[in-house]
Amino acid sequence: MMRSGGRNAGFTLMEMLVTLVIFGVVSSLLWQALGTLARIETRLADARVFAARDALQAEWVRQSLQGLMNGPRRDTFRFSGTARSLSGYTTMPPWPGSGGPERFQLELVESDGGRTTLLARRQGFTGATVLWSWEGAGSFSYLDHEGAWQSEWTRRPEGEVLLPRAIRLLGPGSGPLLVAPQVGTNPMLRRRDIEDPLP
């Protein structure tokens, strides 16, 4: 094809160089954008994994506390708790393979670095299961039947219900974990074991 003036149609060397430079710049910008997008997706996936793990850990603790019960009528292993630990029977222990209500203990352990770990101990087994770990301090408190929070829950006077109305775990997440033992709705709990006075 001929242009007016008799010259052959085509690109000059300068036009080709400018086109290649523009193509290189656009390719470089697209490559950087794809890399940034991949890093963002990785971080979001990590955040989702951490959020799911935290939710699972919170659910383990919540279920263990919802399943709280007192032991059999003549058992001296009644529910008790301090700001650092609690122990009792639960119908929903935080480990697999449980055949029913089991004795368990939850314990808050603080490290030198300011990290708190919530451990679960199973009666008759050595070692402990790590249920939850977070930055900062943590503590348990117990709602009594007059509506006041107590830092300790020990044996109560004869005739009084032996489980707290609620248990609060301060420390993990943006707010406290608040759990009420499901005395009335859990079919594995026998109300007479809970309401009977101590032997």
Side-chain angles (χ1 to χ4, degrees), residues 41-173:
E41 285 181 353
T42 301
R43 288 180 184 160
L44 288 175
D46 290 345
R48 285 191 294 266
V49 167
F50 290 137
R53 185 196 64 193
D54 286 347
L56 181 61
Q57 291 169 326
E59 191 58 28
W60 285 341
V61 176
R62 185 177 287 109
Q63 286 184 4
S64 297
L65 296 178
Q66 281 179 336
L68 281 173
M69 63 180 287
N70 284 313
R73 295 179 67 193
R74 300 279 181 235
D75 195 336
T76 58
F77 190 78
R78 299 287 185 160
F79 176 79
S80 64
T82 66
R84 307 302 306 158
S85 69
L86 61 86
S87 58
Y89 278 93
T90 182
T91 60
M92 296 181 276
W95 43 74
S98 173
E102 288 191 42
R103 293 180 183 185
F104 85 122
Q105 177 184 17
L106 296 181
E107 181 182 358
L108 294 167
V109 178
E110 289 185 14
S111 67
D112 294 336
R115 191 163 185 82
T116 300
T117 302
L118 178 60
L119 301 175
R121 300 187 190 281
R122 187 176 186 181
Q123 181 71 20
F125 290 81
T126 58
T129 302
V130 175
L131 289 185
W132 210 345
S133 185
W134 63 87
E135 293 295 330
S139 65
F140 290 110
S141 55
Y142 311 91
L143 184 64
D144 66 20
H145 297 276
E146 285 78 42
W149 287 99
Q150 307 293 332
S151 60
E152 288 192 21
W153 192 267
T154 57
R155 289 185 168 216
R156 297 290 158 183
E158 193 168 319
E160 188 175 341
V161 178
L162 298 174
L163 290 175
R165 287 174 53 198
I167 300 168
R168 180 173 56 188
L169 173 58
L170 295 174

